[in-house]
mmCIF file of all heavy atoms in Angstrom:
data_model
loop_
_atom_site.group_PDB
_atom_site.id
_atom_site.type_symbol
_atom_site.label_atom_id
_atom_site.label_comp_id
_atom_site.label_asym_id
_atom_site.label_seq_id
_atom_site.Cartn_x
_atom_site.Cartn_y
_atom_site.Cartn_z
ATOM 1 N N PHE G 1 0.853 -1.188 0.000
ATOM 2 C CA PHE G 1 0.000 0.000 0.000
ATOM 3 C C PHE G 1 0.890 1.238 0.000
ATOM 4 O O PHE G 1 2.047 1.193 0.428
ATOM 5 C CB PHE G 1 -0.926 0.005 1.220
ATOM 6 C CG PHE G 1 -1.769 -1.230 1.354
ATOM 7 C CD1 PHE G 1 -1.621 -2.083 2.432
ATOM 8 C CD2 PHE G 1 -2.711 -1.547 0.383
ATOM 9 C CE1 PHE G 1 -2.386 -3.219 2.555
ATOM 10 C CE2 PHE G 1 -3.481 -2.701 0.490
ATOM 11 C CZ PHE G 1 -3.319 -3.536 1.575
ATOM 12 N N PHE G 2 0.322 2.361 -0.438
ATOM 13 C CA PHE G 2 1.135 3.568 -0.608
ATOM 14 C C PHE G 2 0.319 4.799 -0.247
ATOM 15 O O PHE G 2 -0.872 4.886 -0.563
ATOM 16 C CB PHE G 2 1.614 3.653 -2.064
ATOM 17 C CG PHE G 2 2.399 4.897 -2.387
ATOM 18 C CD1 PHE G 2 3.407 5.358 -1.552
ATOM 19 C CD2 PHE G 2 2.134 5.602 -3.555
ATOM 20 C CE1 PHE G 2 4.130 6.499 -1.859
ATOM 21 C CE2 PHE G 2 2.857 6.746 -3.880
ATOM 22 C CZ PHE G 2 3.850 7.195 -3.020
ATOM 23 N N MET G 3 0.989 5.753 0.415
ATOM 24 C CA MET G 3 0.371 7.043 0.729
ATOM 25 C C MET G 3 1.375 8.167 0.449
ATOM 26 O O MET G 3 2.351 8.325 1.177
ATOM 27 C CB MET G 3 -0.087 7.111 2.188
ATOM 28 C CG MET G 3 -0.659 8.473 2.579
ATOM 29 S SD MET G 3 -1.230 8.529 4.300
ATOM 30 C CE MET G 3 -2.809 7.738 4.120
ATOM 31 N N PRO G 4 1.168 8.959 -0.611
ATOM 32 C CA PRO G 4 2.019 10.135 -0.842
ATOM 33 C C PRO G 4 1.760 11.174 0.253
ATOM 34 O O PRO G 4 0.616 11.399 0.655
ATOM 35 C CB PRO G 4 1.553 10.657 -2.210
ATOM 36 C CG PRO G 4 0.758 9.545 -2.812
ATOM 37 C CD PRO G 4 0.169 8.795 -1.670
ATOM 38 N N TRP G 5 2.832 11.807 0.716
ATOM 39 C CA TRP G 5 2.755 12.729 1.851
ATOM 40 C C TRP G 5 3.618 13.943 1.560
ATOM 41 O O TRP G 5 4.384 13.960 0.602
ATOM 42 C CB TRP G 5 3.242 11.963 3.094
ATOM 43 C CG TRP G 5 3.783 12.792 4.218
ATOM 44 C CD1 TRP G 5 3.068 13.419 5.200
ATOM 45 C CD2 TRP G 5 5.161 13.081 4.493
ATOM 46 N NE1 TRP G 5 3.916 14.085 6.055
ATOM 47 C CE2 TRP G 5 5.217 13.891 5.643
ATOM 48 C CE3 TRP G 5 6.357 12.731 3.859
ATOM 49 C CZ2 TRP G 5 6.409 14.356 6.182
ATOM 50 C CZ3 TRP G 5 7.553 13.190 4.390
ATOM 51 C CH2 TRP G 5 7.571 13.991 5.543
ATOM 52 N N HIS G 6 3.494 14.998 2.380
ATOM 53 C CA HIS G 6 4.318 16.200 2.268
ATOM 54 C C HIS G 6 4.183 16.824 0.888
ATOM 55 O O HIS G 6 5.136 16.885 0.110
ATOM 56 C CB HIS G 6 5.788 15.880 2.565
ATOM 57 C CG HIS G 6 6.601 17.100 2.920
ATOM 58 N ND1 HIS G 6 6.957 18.054 1.994
ATOM 59 C CD2 HIS G 6 7.137 17.522 4.091
ATOM 60 C CE1 HIS G 6 7.681 18.995 2.585
ATOM 61 N NE2 HIS G 6 7.801 18.694 3.868
ATOM 62 N N GLY G 7 3.007 17.332 0.608
ATOM 63 C CA GLY G 7 2.789 17.994 -0.666
ATOM 64 C C GLY G 7 1.343 18.405 -0.810
ATOM 65 O O GLY G 7 0.464 17.928 -0.080
ATOM 66 N N GLU G 8 1.115 19.303 -1.754
ATOM 67 C CA GLU G 8 -0.253 19.664 -2.097
ATOM 68 C C GLU G 8 -0.880 18.521 -2.875
ATOM 69 O O GLU G 8 -0.192 17.583 -3.293
ATOM 70 C CB GLU G 8 -0.247 20.966 -2.897
ATOM 71 C CG GLU G 8 0.329 22.134 -2.108
ATOM 72 C CD GLU G 8 0.530 23.387 -2.942
ATOM 73 O OE1 GLU G 8 0.280 23.334 -4.174
ATOM 74 O OE2 GLU G 8 0.956 24.408 -2.373
ATOM 75 N N VAL G 9 -2.190 18.615 -3.095
ATOM 76 C CA VAL G 9 -2.911 17.509 -3.737
ATOM 77 C C VAL G 9 -2.316 17.197 -5.108
ATOM 78 O O VAL G 9 -2.219 16.036 -5.510
ATOM 79 C CB VAL G 9 -4.416 17.836 -3.842
ATOM 80 C CG1 VAL G 9 -5.143 16.747 -4.619
ATOM 81 C CG2 VAL G 9 -5.022 17.975 -2.449
ATOM 82 N N ARG G 10 -1.877 18.220 -5.831
ATOM 83 C CA ARG G 10 -1.291 17.963 -7.165
ATOM 84 C C ARG G 10 -0.003 17.152 -7.047
ATOM 85 O O ARG G 10 0.274 16.299 -7.894
ATOM 86 C CB ARG G 10 -1.042 19.264 -7.910
ATOM 87 C CG ARG G 10 -0.041 20.203 -7.262
ATOM 88 C CD ARG G 10 -0.091 21.592 -7.908
ATOM 89 N NE ARG G 10 0.834 22.520 -7.274
ATOM 90 C CZ ARG G 10 1.995 22.882 -7.798
ATOM 91 N NH1 ARG G 10 2.389 22.358 -8.950
ATOM 92 N NH2 ARG G 10 2.767 23.751 -7.187
ATOM 93 N N HIS G 11 0.785 17.399 -5.998
ATOM 94 C CA HIS G 11 2.017 16.627 -5.803
ATOM 95 C C HIS G 11 1.685 15.188 -5.414
ATOM 96 O O HIS G 11 2.284 14.244 -5.948
ATOM 97 C CB HIS G 11 2.874 17.262 -4.708
ATOM 98 C CG HIS G 11 3.175 18.712 -4.930
ATOM 99 N ND1 HIS G 11 2.885 19.691 -4.009
ATOM 100 C CD2 HIS G 11 3.723 19.348 -6.000
ATOM 101 C CE1 HIS G 11 3.258 20.864 -4.481
ATOM 102 N NE2 HIS G 11 3.759 20.692 -5.687
ATOM 103 N N GLN G 12 0.740 15.031 -4.495
ATOM 104 C CA GLN G 12 0.341 13.690 -4.077
ATOM 105 C C GLN G 12 -0.205 12.892 -5.264
ATOM 106 O O GLN G 12 0.118 11.704 -5.430
ATOM 107 C CB GLN G 12 -0.735 13.776 -2.985
ATOM 108 C CG GLN G 12 -0.269 14.384 -1.668
ATOM 109 C CD GLN G 12 -1.436 14.617 -0.734
ATOM 110 O OE1 GLN G 12 -2.264 15.495 -0.951
ATOM 111 N NE2 GLN G 12 -1.521 13.819 0.315
ATOM 112 N N THR G 13 -1.025 13.548 -6.075
ATOM 113 C CA THR G 13 -1.650 12.851 -7.207
ATOM 114 C C THR G 13 -0.607 12.451 -8.247
ATOM 115 O O THR G 13 -0.648 11.335 -8.794
ATOM 116 C CB THR G 13 -2.735 13.737 -7.841
ATOM 117 O OG1 THR G 13 -3.699 14.088 -6.841
ATOM 118 C CG2 THR G 13 -3.419 13.013 -8.986
ATOM 119 N N ASN G 14 0.339 13.327 -8.525
ATOM 120 C CA ASN G 14 1.392 12.978 -9.481
ATOM 121 C C ASN G 14 2.248 11.828 -8.964
ATOM 122 O O ASN G 14 2.697 10.981 -9.746
ATOM 123 C CB ASN G 14 2.258 14.197 -9.788
ATOM 124 C CG ASN G 14 1.676 15.063 -10.896
ATOM 125 O OD1 ASN G 14 1.907 14.807 -12.076
ATOM 126 N ND2 ASN G 14 0.911 16.067 -10.522
ATOM 127 N N PHE G 15 2.473 11.775 -7.658
ATOM 128 C CA PHE G 15 3.231 10.667 -7.087
ATOM 129 C C PHE G 15 2.412 9.372 -7.183
ATOM 130 O O PHE G 15 2.948 8.297 -7.446
ATOM 131 C CB PHE G 15 3.594 10.984 -5.638
ATOM 132 C CG PHE G 15 4.766 10.195 -5.109
ATOM 133 C CD1 PHE G 15 5.249 10.440 -3.829
ATOM 134 C CD2 PHE G 15 5.409 9.213 -5.869
ATOM 135 C CE1 PHE G 15 6.332 9.740 -3.317
ATOM 136 C CE2 PHE G 15 6.497 8.499 -5.369
ATOM 137 C CZ PHE G 15 6.948 8.761 -4.086
ATOM 138 N N LYS G 16 1.126 9.470 -6.996
ATOM 139 C CA LYS G 16 0.242 8.301 -7.158
ATOM 140 C C LYS G 16 0.354 7.756 -8.580
ATOM 141 O O LYS G 16 0.516 6.549 -8.791
ATOM 142 C CB LYS G 16 -1.203 8.694 -6.844
ATOM 143 C CG LYS G 16 -2.243 7.607 -7.068
ATOM 144 C CD LYS G 16 -3.627 8.130 -6.681
ATOM 145 C CE LYS G 16 -4.695 7.049 -6.810
ATOM 146 N NZ LYS G 16 -5.036 6.747 -8.197
ATOM 147 N N TRP G 17 0.276 8.656 -9.562
ATOM 148 C CA TRP G 17 0.390 8.217 -10.962
ATOM 149 C C TRP G 17 1.759 7.600 -11.230
ATOM 150 O O TRP G 17 1.870 6.611 -11.959
ATOM 151 C CB TRP G 17 0.154 9.397 -11.897
ATOM 152 C CG TRP G 17 -1.250 9.930 -11.872
ATOM 153 C CD1 TRP G 17 -2.362 9.275 -11.420
ATOM 154 C CD2 TRP G 17 -1.676 11.217 -12.301
ATOM 155 N NE1 TRP G 17 -3.469 10.072 -11.546
ATOM 156 C CE2 TRP G 17 -3.084 11.275 -12.088
ATOM 157 C CE3 TRP G 17 -1.035 12.324 -12.839
ATOM 158 C CZ2 TRP G 17 -3.836 12.407 -12.400
ATOM 159 C CZ3 TRP G 17 -1.789 13.448 -13.149
ATOM 160 C CH2 TRP G 17 -3.171 13.490 -12.938
ATOM 161 N N LEU G 18 2.800 8.199 -10.648
ATOM 162 C CA LEU G 18 4.148 7.665 -10.820
ATOM 163 C C LEU G 18 4.233 6.251 -10.259
ATOM 164 O O LEU G 18 4.788 5.342 -10.898
ATOM 165 C CB LEU G 18 5.166 8.574 -10.129
ATOM 166 C CG LEU G 18 6.642 8.241 -10.338
ATOM 167 C CD1 LEU G 18 7.062 8.522 -11.778
ATOM 168 C CD2 LEU G 18 7.512 9.054 -9.373
ATOM 169 N N ALA G 19 3.668 6.039 -9.073
ATOM 170 C CA ALA G 19 3.686 4.714 -8.454
ATOM 171 C C ALA G 19 2.925 3.708 -9.301
ATOM 172 O O ALA G 19 3.344 2.545 -9.445
ATOM 173 C CB ALA G 19 3.092 4.792 -7.046
ATOM 174 N N GLU G 20 1.810 4.136 -9.876
ATOM 175 C CA GLU G 20 1.001 3.235 -10.690
ATOM 176 C C GLU G 20 1.670 2.894 -12.012
ATOM 177 O O GLU G 20 1.301 1.899 -12.652
ATOM 178 C CB GLU G 20 -0.377 3.863 -10.937
ATOM 179 C CG GLU G 20 -1.232 3.929 -9.673
ATOM 180 C CD GLU G 20 -2.499 4.749 -9.839
ATOM 181 O OE1 GLU G 20 -2.617 5.473 -10.866
ATOM 182 O OE2 GLU G 20 -3.379 4.676 -8.953
ATOM 183 N N SER G 21 2.662 3.692 -12.421
ATOM 184 C CA SER G 21 3.364 3.420 -13.679
ATOM 185 C C SER G 21 4.528 2.436 -13.497
ATOM 186 O O SER G 21 5.127 2.004 -14.489
ATOM 187 C CB SER G 21 3.925 4.734 -14.252
ATOM 188 O OG SER G 21 5.045 5.191 -13.492
ATOM 189 N N MET G 22 4.841 2.081 -12.259
ATOM 190 C CA MET G 22 5.964 1.194 -12.000
ATOM 191 C C MET G 22 5.632 -0.226 -12.441
ATOM 192 O O MET G 22 4.452 -0.600 -12.578
ATOM 193 C CB MET G 22 6.312 1.203 -10.506
ATOM 194 C CG MET G 22 6.643 2.579 -9.944
ATOM 195 S SD MET G 22 8.127 3.311 -10.636
ATOM 196 C CE MET G 22 9.372 2.269 -9.872
ATOM 197 N N SER G 23 6.673 -1.032 -12.658
ATOM 198 C CA SER G 23 6.436 -2.411 -13.094
ATOM 199 C C SER G 23 5.753 -3.231 -12.001
ATOM 200 O O SER G 23 5.046 -4.194 -12.294
ATOM 201 C CB SER G 23 7.765 -3.066 -13.480
ATOM 202 O OG SER G 23 8.669 -3.049 -12.385
ATOM 203 N N ARG G 24 5.958 -2.849 -10.748
ATOM 204 C CA ARG G 24 5.267 -3.522 -9.644
ATOM 205 C C ARG G 24 4.581 -2.458 -8.796
ATOM 206 O O ARG G 24 5.074 -2.045 -7.744
ATOM 207 C CB ARG G 24 6.261 -4.322 -8.807
ATOM 208 C CG ARG G 24 6.938 -5.440 -9.597
ATOM 209 C CD ARG G 24 7.861 -6.249 -8.724
ATOM 210 N NE ARG G 24 7.131 -6.847 -7.606
ATOM 211 C CZ ARG G 24 7.716 -7.423 -6.562
ATOM 212 N NH1 ARG G 24 9.042 -7.443 -6.484
ATOM 213 N NH2 ARG G 24 7.003 -7.955 -5.602
ATOM 214 N N PRO G 25 3.432 -1.994 -9.249
ATOM 215 C CA PRO G 25 2.760 -0.899 -8.537
ATOM 216 C C PRO G 25 2.137 -1.379 -7.233
ATOM 217 O O PRO G 25 1.866 -2.576 -7.061
ATOM 218 C CB PRO G 25 1.669 -0.463 -9.529
ATOM 219 C CG PRO G 25 1.372 -1.695 -10.311
ATOM 220 C CD PRO G 25 2.684 -2.423 -10.443
ATOM 221 N N PRO G 26 1.894 -0.465 -6.297
ATOM 222 C CA PRO G 26 1.169 -0.833 -5.079
ATOM 223 C C PRO G 26 -0.242 -1.327 -5.411
ATOM 224 O O PRO G 26 -0.834 -0.923 -6.420
ATOM 225 C CB PRO G 26 1.114 0.479 -4.287
ATOM 226 C CG PRO G 26 2.191 1.331 -4.867
ATOM 227 C CD PRO G 26 2.299 0.951 -6.302
ATOM 228 N N GLU G 27 -0.758 -2.186 -4.552
ATOM 229 C CA GLU G 27 -2.135 -2.649 -4.743
ATOM 230 C C GLU G 27 -3.121 -1.502 -4.593
ATOM 231 O O GLU G 27 -4.161 -1.466 -5.258
ATOM 232 C CB GLU G 27 -2.476 -3.740 -3.719
ATOM 233 C CG GLU G 27 -1.810 -5.067 -3.966
ATOM 234 C CD GLU G 27 -2.215 -6.095 -2.922
ATOM 235 O OE1 GLU G 27 -3.241 -5.887 -2.232
ATOM 236 O OE2 GLU G 27 -1.502 -7.107 -2.785
ATOM 237 N N LYS G 28 -2.807 -0.580 -3.688
ATOM 238 C CA LYS G 28 -3.742 0.514 -3.422
ATOM 239 C C LYS G 28 -2.961 1.737 -2.974
ATOM 240 O O LYS G 28 -2.038 1.639 -2.172
ATOM 241 C CB LYS G 28 -4.744 0.099 -2.341
ATOM 242 C CG LYS G 28 -5.848 1.110 -2.075
ATOM 243 C CD LYS G 28 -6.839 0.543 -1.062
ATOM 244 C CE LYS G 28 -8.064 1.419 -0.900
ATOM 245 N NZ LYS G 28 -9.024 0.820 0.070
ATOM 246 N N THR G 29 -3.345 2.899 -3.505
ATOM 247 C CA THR G 29 -2.751 4.169 -3.096
ATOM 248 C C THR G 29 -3.860 5.093 -2.631
ATOM 249 O O THR G 29 -4.876 5.242 -3.321
ATOM 250 C CB THR G 29 -1.988 4.833 -4.253
ATOM 251 O OG1 THR G 29 -0.916 3.982 -4.670
ATOM 252 C CG2 THR G 29 -1.422 6.182 -3.828
ATOM 253 N N LEU G 30 -3.676 5.694 -1.468
ATOM 254 C CA LEU G 30 -4.644 6.650 -0.945
ATOM 255 C C LEU G 30 -4.007 8.038 -0.898
ATOM 256 O O LEU G 30 -2.857 8.183 -0.487
ATOM 257 C CB LEU G 30 -5.097 6.260 0.455
ATOM 258 C CG LEU G 30 -5.922 4.983 0.598
ATOM 259 C CD1 LEU G 30 -6.313 4.756 2.061
ATOM 260 C CD2 LEU G 30 -7.174 5.039 -0.273
ATOM 261 N N ILE G 31 -4.766 9.047 -1.336
ATOM 262 C CA ILE G 31 -4.329 10.440 -1.219
ATOM 263 C C ILE G 31 -4.754 10.920 0.164
ATOM 264 O O ILE G 31 -5.939 11.078 0.449
ATOM 265 C CB ILE G 31 -4.963 11.321 -2.313
ATOM 266 C CG1 ILE G 31 -4.596 10.789 -3.700
ATOM 267 C CG2 ILE G 31 -4.524 12.774 -2.139
ATOM 268 C CD1 ILE G 31 -3.129 10.829 -4.011
ATOM 269 N N GLY G 32 -3.773 11.129 1.039
ATOM 270 C CA GLY G 32 -4.069 11.439 2.429
ATOM 271 C C GLY G 32 -4.662 12.823 2.626
ATOM 272 O O GLY G 32 -4.391 13.755 1.879
ATOM 273 N N GLU G 33 -5.480 12.932 3.684
ATOM 274 C CA GLU G 33 -6.095 14.198 4.072
ATOM 275 C C GLU G 33 -5.855 14.414 5.558
ATOM 276 O O GLU G 33 -5.884 13.472 6.352
ATOM 277 C CB GLU G 33 -7.609 14.164 3.818
ATOM 278 C CG GLU G 33 -8.010 13.864 2.393
ATOM 279 C CD GLU G 33 -9.509 13.596 2.278
ATOM 280 O OE1 GLU G 33 -10.225 13.760 3.304
ATOM 281 O OE2 GLU G 33 -9.966 13.208 1.200
ATOM 282 N N ASN G 34 -5.655 15.662 5.942
ATOM 283 C CA ASN G 34 -5.513 15.976 7.355
ATOM 284 C C ASN G 34 -6.817 15.678 8.094
ATOM 285 O O ASN G 34 -7.903 16.002 7.619
ATOM 286 C CB ASN G 34 -5.154 17.450 7.550
ATOM 287 C CG ASN G 34 -3.772 17.778 7.045
ATOM 288 O OD1 ASN G 34 -2.889 16.927 7.026
ATOM 289 N ND2 ASN G 34 -3.564 19.017 6.633
ATOM 290 N N GLY G 35 -6.691 15.047 9.252
ATOM 291 C CA GLY G 35 -7.866 14.739 10.063
ATOM 292 C C GLY G 35 -8.515 13.408 9.760
ATOM 293 O O GLY G 35 -9.386 12.963 10.505
ATOM 294 N N ALA G 36 -8.090 12.743 8.676
ATOM 295 C CA ALA G 36 -8.648 11.430 8.363
ATOM 296 C C ALA G 36 -7.967 10.366 9.223
ATOM 297 O O ALA G 36 -6.804 10.495 9.593
ATOM 298 C CB ALA G 36 -8.460 11.108 6.887
ATOM 299 N N VAL G 37 -8.712 9.323 9.549
ATOM 300 C CA VAL G 37 -8.156 8.170 10.261
ATOM 301 C C VAL G 37 -8.056 7.025 9.257
ATOM 302 O O VAL G 37 -9.065 6.598 8.687
ATOM 303 C CB VAL G 37 -9.045 7.757 11.446
ATOM 304 C CG1 VAL G 37 -8.471 6.523 12.144
ATOM 305 C CG2 VAL G 37 -9.178 8.914 12.438
ATOM 306 N N TYR G 38 -6.825 6.562 9.026
ATOM 307 C CA TYR G 38 -6.586 5.482 8.069
ATOM 308 C C TYR G 38 -6.291 4.198 8.823
ATOM 309 O O TYR G 38 -5.438 4.177 9.712
ATOM 310 C CB TYR G 38 -5.429 5.843 7.134
ATOM 311 C CG TYR G 38 -5.748 7.045 6.283
ATOM 312 C CD1 TYR G 38 -5.368 8.323 6.682
ATOM 313 C CD2 TYR G 38 -6.477 6.916 5.106
ATOM 314 C CE1 TYR G 38 -5.692 9.431 5.918
ATOM 315 C CE2 TYR G 38 -6.806 8.013 4.342
ATOM 316 C CZ TYR G 38 -6.410 9.273 4.749
ATOM 317 O OH TYR G 38 -6.743 10.375 3.990
ATOM 318 N N ARG G 39 -7.009 3.149 8.477
ATOM 319 C CA ARG G 39 -6.834 1.854 9.135
ATOM 320 C C ARG G 39 -6.022 0.935 8.229
ATOM 321 O O ARG G 39 -6.397 0.666 7.080
ATOM 322 C CB ARG G 39 -8.186 1.226 9.441
ATOM 323 C CG ARG G 39 -8.079 -0.163 10.077
ATOM 324 C CD ARG G 39 -9.450 -0.692 10.460
ATOM 325 N NE ARG G 39 -10.023 0.124 11.530
ATOM 326 C CZ ARG G 39 -11.287 0.013 11.936
ATOM 327 N NH1 ARG G 39 -12.103 -0.851 11.349
ATOM 328 N NH2 ARG G 39 -11.742 0.773 12.919
ATOM 329 N N LEU G 40 -4.912 0.446 8.765
ATOM 330 C CA LEU G 40 -4.019 -0.452 8.033
ATOM 331 C C LEU G 40 -4.044 -1.817 8.698
ATOM 332 O O LEU G 40 -3.754 -1.947 9.892
ATOM 333 C CB LEU G 40 -2.594 0.107 8.061
ATOM 334 C CG LEU G 40 -1.493 -0.754 7.428
ATOM 335 C CD1 LEU G 40 -1.684 -0.839 5.919
ATOM 336 C CD2 LEU G 40 -0.111 -0.179 7.772
ATOM 337 N N THR G 41 -4.427 -2.842 7.934
ATOM 338 C CA THR G 41 -4.364 -4.219 8.408
ATOM 339 C C THR G 41 -3.397 -4.983 7.506
ATOM 340 O O THR G 41 -2.832 -4.431 6.570
ATOM 341 C CB THR G 41 -5.742 -4.896 8.374
ATOM 342 O OG1 THR G 41 -6.098 -5.182 7.005
ATOM 343 C CG2 THR G 41 -6.826 -4.018 8.999
ATOM 344 N N ARG G 42 -3.243 -6.268 7.782
ATOM 345 C CA ARG G 42 -2.373 -7.078 6.925
ATOM 346 C C ARG G 42 -2.886 -7.156 5.493
ATOM 347 O O ARG G 42 -2.113 -7.363 4.557
ATOM 348 C CB ARG G 42 -2.265 -8.504 7.491
ATOM 349 C CG ARG G 42 -1.523 -8.596 8.819
ATOM 350 C CD ARG G 42 -1.457 -10.062 9.254
ATOM 351 N NE ARG G 42 -0.667 -10.238 10.473
ATOM 352 C CZ ARG G 42 -1.179 -10.242 11.695
ATOM 353 N NH1 ARG G 42 -2.485 -10.065 11.864
ATOM 354 N NH2 ARG G 42 -0.408 -10.406 12.747
ATOM 355 N N GLU G 43 -4.207 -6.968 5.327
ATOM 356 C CA GLU G 43 -4.817 -7.177 4.010
ATOM 357 C C GLU G 43 -5.492 -5.944 3.433
ATOM 358 O O GLU G 43 -5.937 -5.984 2.279
ATOM 359 C CB GLU G 43 -5.867 -8.308 4.096
ATOM 360 C CG GLU G 43 -5.343 -9.613 4.655
ATOM 361 C CD GLU G 43 -4.246 -10.217 3.795
ATOM 362 O OE1 GLU G 43 -4.235 -9.945 2.578
ATOM 363 O OE2 GLU G 43 -3.388 -10.942 4.344
#
């Protein structure tokens, strides 16, 4: 899993696209927001 951080939404989104272009992309990428609670499990 992947979360772009330290940037405005345009920076986070471009990093998401970059990750998705890799030969082994993350299964899921979330664009983080301040105040959101993100739950990470093994799956």
